[in-house]
């Protein structure tokens, strides 16, 4: 097999705060081949976005990478200079942020921003850049794209803003896209249209994709592999069918059970008992143990890897997997 | 036909009592009308006419006390605009908004302010909705303190804020932090805690659980259902997630390009959708399906609120469209008890 496009090894990212250090990402490792789609799911606050920011070199100070490597095409991004990183961003690696206003400038017109994104990495005549921007808007399902180019972000609906941010990320056909909850506010029809554009890009251009989402139905249909995060760690990883149909880790199992369509209408929804532990005060050993039905004394020490290489989890007592 | 329609309506469950919220013939446009000079320049072809977005086009909607009304429709069809009008944050261009029978446009300012506390909105974008300069304790605690909802001193206020945060699934020990130090889903829950902290009677939820993982989403939805049972809270629940809408709503309204095209009890609309757009939309309820699948994109010209199609807005994409659909707007008519749909097919037998 070829060397992976992205190889994240033991990544640790922390935010010092007055109350102590928040270990937002704690020893995360995964690899990604060109054209591959990795779904990154997990508890809210488990470190998915921070993993993305770390790869992009966009951590908000005082947050910083405290350990590990991020090899992109063999180069360690964690050690790259700001300037080199800037020239990679947008051209070879792009991120679709959970907050579209991290991409968009509220005081600039949409056309100005899109044309800027194109011209930052390519030399094209103005008119061509504008046409390219218009087509990109149409691609993500914005009606009347020509006229909408003249608008400002606040004149767009929430989902439209999200789609402009997607269009900007796709516009230079990068090699790696980190998409952070990019379709949270989009209805199924528009979601399908965008997913089909993205599938085209991965198939035709070999773009690799990290798709951060809580939407298991999207993951199940889009991703090759899925990684599940809990409290800063990847607790389970494997092929999407294995992880969702036969979850090994008790957290993943609880997550899959909470999907509304698996519950009777109007009845209380199944939820994982207890609360997310404070990031400043994680239980020793397995961080899930205060909420886990299978926990015992052993779980107070760091859990080992269980399962096979293509479907692993970190747990002392994984659920039985019947193949 | 219309006489029958009315008697069917009268049999609808929530009739009689004053509705919690009523929207009557509401339209909303964005984009200014040009002034005289502007109009002259346009007439002479010197400038392009400014684009006018027709976000809402003659909407009627009532929500009874304790009811959960789900609102769904394509991105950009006007859901947030309608939500903001219901919450009294945005005035309609035309039409009236009633809170418990009172027209809010004619309410004295003092009364309006007091009333507006009773109707709260959870905003779609959790990143923009929270004041970045205040610690979370203030974001959640300010309004209830100012409006005297907390009895007791500083200690009582802290306890009150903690309770609100815990209810929304947030760790109260983090309340000294600022919004930017939280994850997306955590910020969304701060927005929910803030809205619930003023003890509203109506909650407009605009994609309020969209950024939450399914387990925390379940926790919040269970909280919403509890509040409704205990306090009779009323909801306008805007969401693109049909699974969530089906689970939670009593009644569902489906919008298409600024209009409500169908409205019915949730069970009815999911089992027997009437409008061709509703049928297309509900056919796509996403399930967990393993295996890479080609995502198909919808056929047909994309509708634009800058140039809405004539007649029925759905006609360019509708497989059943016939001559009349291009000319005449179909009105929302009763097709079964409590079930309304805006499609000419219902009158062609
Ligand atoms: N600037 C910051 N300072 C301190 N803590 C932070 C900061 N940014 C993020 N965190 C914390 O790091 C943890 C991980 O955050 P992250 O945004 O990666 O979560 P996430 O998995 O993306 O969650 P969500 O699904 O809710 O977006 C959270 O507990 C969050 O509160
Ligand atoms: N302040 C504004 N100025 C101009 N146009 C606006 C403004 N606010 C909304 N619009 C337009 O009104 C239409 C409806 O917007 P709205 O935000 O209500 O849509 P929505 O149904 O909530 O969509 P989404 O699901 O994407 O959030 C859109 O075409 C949008 O561009
Ligand atoms: S290691 Fe123990 S506490 Fe952690 S998930 Fe496995 S069984 Fe539960
Ligand atoms: S009125 Fe005509 S175009 Fe509109 S939904 Fe009905 S059949 Fe289709
Ligand atoms: Mg996030
Ligand atoms: Mg909206």
């Amino acid at each position: 097999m070829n060397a992976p496009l992205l190889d994240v090894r033991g990544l640790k990212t922390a935010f010092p705060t007055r109350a102590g250090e928040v270990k937002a990402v704690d020893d995360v490792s995964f690899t990604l081949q060109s054209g591959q789609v990795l779904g990154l799911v997990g508890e809210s606050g488990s470190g998915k976005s921070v993993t993305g920011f770390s790869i992009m070199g966009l951590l908000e100070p005082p947050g910083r990478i405290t350990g590990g490597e991020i090899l992109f095409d063999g180069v360690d991004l964690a050690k790259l200079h700001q300037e080199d990183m800037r020239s990679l961003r947008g051209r070879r690696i792009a991120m679709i942020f959970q907050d579209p206003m991290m991409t968009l400038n509220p005081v600039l017109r949409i056309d100005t921003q899109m044309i800027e994104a194109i011209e930052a990495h390519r030399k094209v005549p103005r008119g061509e850049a504008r046409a390219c921007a218009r087509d990109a808007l149409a691609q993500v399902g914005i009606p009347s794209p020509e006229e909408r180019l003249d608008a400002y972000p606040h004149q767009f609906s929430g989902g439209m803003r999200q789609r402009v941010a997607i269009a900007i990320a796709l516009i230079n056909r990068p090699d790696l896209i980190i998409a952070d909850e990019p379709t949270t506010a989009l209805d199924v029809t528009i979601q399908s249209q965008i997913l089909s554009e993205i599938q085209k890009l991965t198939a035709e251009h070999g773009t690799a994709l990290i798709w951060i989402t809580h939407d298991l139905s999207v993951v199940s249909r889009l991703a090759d592999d899925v990684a599940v995060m809990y409290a800063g760690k990847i607790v389970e990883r494997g092929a999407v069918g294995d992880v969702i149909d036969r979850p090994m880790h008790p957290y993943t199992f609880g997550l899959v059970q909470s999907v509304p369509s698996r519950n009777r209408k109007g009845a209380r929804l199944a939820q994982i008992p207890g609360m997310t532990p404070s990031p400043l005060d994680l239980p020793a050993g397995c961080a899930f143990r205060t909420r886990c039905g299978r926990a015992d004394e052993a779980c107070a020490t760091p859990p080992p890897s269980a399962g096979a290489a293509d479907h692993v989890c970190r747990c002392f007592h994984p659920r039985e997997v019947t193949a | 036909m219309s006489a029958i329609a009315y008697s069917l309506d009268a049999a609808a469950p929530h009739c009689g009592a004053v509705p919690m919220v009523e929207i009557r013939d509401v339209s909303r446009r964005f984009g200014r009308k040009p002034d005289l000079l502007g109009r002259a320049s346009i007439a002479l072809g010197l400038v392009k006419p400014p684009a006018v977005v027709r976000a809402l086009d003659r909407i009627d909607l009532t929500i009874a006390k304790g009811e959960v009304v789900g609102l769904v429709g394509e991105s950009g069809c006007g859901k947030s605009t309608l939500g903001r009008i219901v919450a009294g944050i945005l005035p309609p261009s035309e039409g009236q908004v009633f809170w418990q029978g009172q027209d809010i446009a004619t309410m004295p300012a003092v009364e309006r302010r007091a009333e507006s506390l009773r109707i709260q909105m959870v905003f779609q974008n959790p990143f923009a909705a929270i004041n970045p300069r205040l610690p979370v304790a203030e974001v959640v605690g300010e309004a209830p303190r100012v409006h005297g909802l907390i009895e007791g001193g500083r200690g009582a206020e802290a306890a009150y804020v903690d309770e609100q945060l815990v209810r929304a699934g947030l760790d109260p020990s983090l309340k000294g932090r600022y919004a930017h130090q939280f994850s997306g889903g955590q910020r969304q829950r701060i927005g929910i805690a803030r809205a619930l902290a003023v003890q509203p009677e109506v909650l407009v939820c605009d994609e309020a659980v969209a950024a939450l993982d399914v387990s925390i989403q379940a926790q919040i939805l269970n909280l919403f259902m509890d509040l409704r049972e205990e306090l009779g809270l009323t909801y306008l629940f805007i969401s693109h997630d049909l699974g969530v809408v089906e689970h939670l709503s009593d009644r569902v309204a489906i919008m298409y390009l600024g209009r409500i095209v169908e409205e019915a009890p949730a069970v009815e609309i999911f089992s027997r959708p009437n409008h061709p757009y509703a049928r297309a939309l509900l056919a796509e309820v996403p399930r967990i399906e393993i295996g890479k699948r080609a995502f198909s994109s919808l056929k047909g010209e994309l509708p634009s609120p800058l140039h809405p199609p004539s007649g029925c807005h759905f006609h360019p994409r509708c497989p059943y469209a016939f001559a009349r659909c291009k000319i005449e707007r179909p009105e929302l008519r009763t097709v079964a008890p409590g079930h309304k749909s805006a499609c000419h097919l219902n009158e062609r037998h």
Side-chain angles (χ1 to χ4, degrees):
Chain A
M1 199 179 260
N2 301 337
L5 177 72
L6 182 70
D7 187 353
V8 176
R9 296 184 185 169
L11 178 66
K12 294 186 180 200
T13 303
F15 294 92
T17 68
R18 248 178 296 155
E21 190 171 70
V22 176
K23 292 180 178 158
V25 176
D26 191 10
D27 195 13
V28 159
S29 304
F30 61 89
T31 61
L32 198 61
Q33 305 286 341
S34 286
Q36 201 184 9
V37 181
L38 172 68
L40 192 55
V41 303
E43 172 117 321
S44 170
S46 61
K48 304 181 296 292
S49 299
V50 172
T51 300
F53 295 150
S54 305
I55 296 170
M56 293 295 290
L58 289 174
L59 285 168
E60 182 190 346
R64 62 188 190 89
I65 295 176
T66 56
E69 297 170 279
I70 304 167
L71 301 174
F72 175 75
D73 236 359
V75 178
D76 187 358
L77 300 183
K79 300 199 174 60
L80 212 58
H81 280 291
Q82 275 294 334
E83 263 164 60
D84 298 327
M85 194 64 222
R86 206 171 299 139
S87 93
L88 279 184
R89 271 201 298 268
R91 186 169 56 92
R92 297 203 59 200
I93 310 180
M95 183 155 175
I96 303 165
F97 297 97
Q98 201 170 359
D99 174 9
M101 293 314 285
M102 268 186 82
T103 305
L104 300 174
N105 183 333
V107 301
L108 293 181
R109 284 186 357 188
I110 300 290
D111 57 352
T112 317
Q113 307 194 41
M114 295 189 75
I115 291 169
E116 239 170 46
I118 297 168
E119 289 178 342
H121 303 290
R122 273 189 277 166
K123 283 224 174 326
V124 282
R126 191 86 184 179
E128 199 175 303
R130 196 184 152 90
C132 182
R134 185 197 53 219
D135 295 345
L137 278 191
Q139 226 177 31
V140 293
I142 307 269
S144 306
E146 182 67 44
E147 285 153 89
R148 289 288 193 168
L149 276 176
D150 295 341
Y152 291 88
H154 79 270
Q155 297 174 315
F156 276 20
S157 78
M160 288 162 72
R161 257 174 263 165
Q162 232 175 12
R163 284 180 276 156
V164 175
I166 294 172
I168 290 178
L170 302 185
I171 217 163
N172 290 315
R173 301 167 159 261
D175 300 319
L176 171 66
I177 296 178
I178 302 168
D180 193 358
E181 304 273 10
T183 57
T184 39
L186 299 180
D187 51 281
V188 277
T189 46
I190 294 201
Q191 217 176 66
S192 298
Q193 169 164 3
I194 286 175
L195 293 172
S196 84
E197 291 297 334
I198 290 191
Q199 279 180 329
K200 235 189 274 170
L201 204 62
T202 58
E204 288 166 15
H205 187 70
T207 298
L209 199 62
I210 298 175
W211 193 268
I212 301 173
T213 183
H214 67 278
D215 190 333
L216 296 176
S217 67
V218 169
V219 164
S220 70
R221 292 154 64 188
L222 178 76
D224 301 297
D225 278 12
V226 57
V228 183
M229 282 187 83
Y230 186 82
K233 290 183 160 52
I234 292 183
V235 294
E236 181 160 2
R237 164 147 199 199
V240 68
D242 292 340
V243 173
I244 289 177
D245 273 354
R246 293 176 289 280
M248 288 164 71
H249 196 280
Y251 172 70
T252 316
F253 180 76
L255 198 63
V256 173
Q257 292 306 308
S258 311
V259 175
S261 58
R262 300 221 162 168
N263 286 262
R264 198 162 44 81
K265 176 173 164 57
R268 285 182 72 80
L269 293 158
Q271 67 185 58
I272 298 171
M275 255 184 60
T276 317
S278 163
L280 291 168
D281 189 20
L282 291 179
C286 175
F288 190 54
R289 81 185 151 91
T290 49
R291 306 170 70 187
C292 178
R294 303 168 82 90
D296 61 14
E297 312 81 63
C299 305
T301 53
S305 287
D310 54 355
H311 185 181
V312 272
C313 81
R314 290 195 199 199
C315 176
F316 280 106
H317 312 294
R319 299 177 51 83
E320 299 295 317
V321 181
T322 42
Chain B
M1 177 68 208
S2 76
I4 297 167
Y6 277 100
S7 68
L8 283 173
D9 260 356
H14 299 291
C15 247
V18 177
M20 201 68 195
V21 175
E22 185 176 359
I23 298 291
R24 223 179 267 169
D25 212 21
V26 159
S27 297
R28 173 73 213 200
R29 286 177 299 272
F30 292 104
R32 256 170 300 132
K33 291 229 169 75
D35 57 15
L36 196 63
L37 181 66
R39 283 204 298 275
S41 328
I42 293 162
L44 293 171
L46 299 175
V47 292
K48 278 192 288 186
V52 174
V53 178
R54 294 161 190 279
L56 297 178
D57 185 12
R58 291 180 41 218
I59 299 251
D60 291 304
L61 184 70
T62 52
I63 309 174
K65 184 168 169 48
E67 200 180 19
V68 181
V69 174
L71 185 63
V72 299
E74 261 178 346
S75 171
C77 72
K79 303 180 295 297
S80 298
T81 306
L82 183 58
R84 283 155 68 204
I85 286 176
V86 165
I89 300 165
L90 184 78
S93 306
E94 276 143 33
Q96 293 163 292
V97 180
F98 299 87
W99 289 344
Q100 292 199 298
Q102 267 196 301
D103 185 341
I104 64 170
T106 62
M107 266 185 209
V110 186
E111 195 184 332
R112 166 94 184 256
R113 269 191 47 207
E115 287 288 314
S116 69
L117 211 57
R118 292 163 48 186
I119 181 155
Q120 289 291 313
M121 183 152 180
V122 179
F123 293 93
Q124 184 169 8
N125 183 352
F127 294 90
I130 302 167
N131 187 337
R133 281 176 214 89
L134 293 181
V136 164
E138 240 343 77
V139 169
V140 174
E142 188 181 30
R145 183 183 62 238
V146 170
H147 295 282
L149 294 173
I150 309 168
E151 283 167 36
R154 280 250 155 230
E157 188 187 323
Y160 186 82
V161 168
D162 287 3
E163 187 192 326
Q164 305 304 315
L165 292 175
V166 169
R167 227 167 37 159
L170 289 164
D171 180 353
S173 72
L174 304 179
K175 67 182 174 185
R177 288 204 201 167
Y178 295 84
H180 72 97
Q181 294 177 304
F182 287 91
S183 77
Q186 289 167 339
R187 283 189 233 192
Q188 189 153 58
R189 284 175 280 160
I190 295 168
I192 292 169
R194 176 182 59 185
L196 290 177
V198 296
Q199 304 169 9
E201 291 172 32
V202 183
L203 202 58
V204 177
C205 297
D206 194 355
E207 302 285 1
V209 295
L212 303 178
D213 65 82
V214 278
S215 170
I216 289 178
Q217 181 176 301
Q219 182 184 341
I220 298 290
L221 296 179
N222 287 338
L223 170 67
F224 285 166
M225 288 193 278
D226 291 345
L227 291 174
R228 172 197 189 189
E229 232 154 78
E230 290 159 21
L231 309 169
L233 208 60
T234 304
Y235 297 87
L236 177 62
F237 198 85
I238 301 172
S239 175
H240 74 283
D241 187 329
L242 297 172
V244 169
V245 169
E246 182 175 13
H247 188 83
L248 206 66
S249 309
D250 300 310
R251 212 145 49 84
V252 174
I254 298 181
M255 282 183 73
Y256 188 79
L257 207 61
R259 296 175 180 169
I260 290 178
V261 296
E262 185 160 358
E263 196 193 309
V267 180
E268 169 103 359
I269 215 164
F270 280 96
S271 55
R272 280 182 296 279
N274 174 281
H275 194 278
Y277 172 66
R279 277 186 254 162
L281 182 74
L282 301 183
E284 295 201 42
V285 178
R287 309 258 173 237
I288 296 184
E289 300 169 82
I290 309 294
K292 274 212 172 184
R293 245 192 52 163
F295 289 90
S296 56
S297 42
L298 218 132
K299 311 270 171 309
E301 167 198 340
L302 280 162
S304 168
L306 293 171
H307 313 285
S310 60
C312 173
H313 282 173
F314 191 52
H315 85 251
R317 290 159 107 185
C318 179
Y320 311 102
F322 56 103
R324 184 178 171 193
C325 304
K326 284 192 188 130
I327 305 158
E328 190 188 332
R329 169 185 181 159
E331 295 295 330
L332 202 54
R333 290 220 167 83
T334 300
V335 293
H339 190 160
K340 293 180 192 162
S341 172
C343 171
H344 291 312
L345 284 178
N346 292 318
E347 286 159 44
R348 211 163 73 146
H349 295 291

